Amino acid sequence: AAGTVNFVVTEDNGQQTMGTFALGASGENFFTITAINMQRIQSVFFTTDVAMTVTNVDDVAQVRIGGAQVAAVPEPTTMLLLGTGLAGIAAKVRRRRRASSE
């Protein structure tokens, strides 16, 4: 059924942006929500005025998330090198403490 859909996008700082868009009766409606200036989207909520007696909006398909940036995960060899370095520093501190206490 034709109608409108209202989107509320909440950023990670709590700021909300709202927009109303037309829905076509064909069921082929596409919407794009884009974060700009390195902002992060915390949630997306939508409501519609399509009459419940006519048809429900009960299928939201093909949700795509693009451009998501994920923190880099260090490689195992990097973690091994870091662990070895920290163990070496701990051993050096332990030797100094033993030498200064004798």
Side-chain angles (χ1 to χ4, degrees):
T4 60
V5 62
N6 302 308
F7 285 97
V8 177
V9 179
T10 304
E11 300 171 18
D12 63 349
N13 63 5
Q15 181 177 345
Q16 291 186 333
T17 305
M18 296 172 225
T20 302
F21 303 93
L23 286 175
S26 67
E28 295 184 17
N29 300 286
F30 298 92
F31 305 99
T32 301
I33 298 171
T34 305
I36 58 172
N37 298 328
M38 300 301 291
Q39 295 174 348
R40 296 180 189 175
I41 296 174
Q42 181 179 14
S43 66
V44 177
F45 180 77
F46 75 92
T47 58
T48 182
D49 65 355
V50 174
M52 297 299 258
T53 56
V54 176
T55 181
N56 292 330
V57 178
D58 58 359
D59 183 23
V60 177
Q62 298 184 15
V63 175
R64 296 182 181 126
I65 299 174
Q69 297 179 359
V70 180
V73 176
E75 294 184 26
T77 53
T78 304
M79 294 305 293
L80 179 64
L81 184 60
L82 175 64
T84 304
L86 291 174
I89 292 171
K92 183 76 170 178
V93 169
R94 181 178 264 184
R95 283 186 193 158
R96 279 191 182 170
R97 285 187 181 167
R98 282 187 182 170
S100 65
S101 65
E102 292 177 357

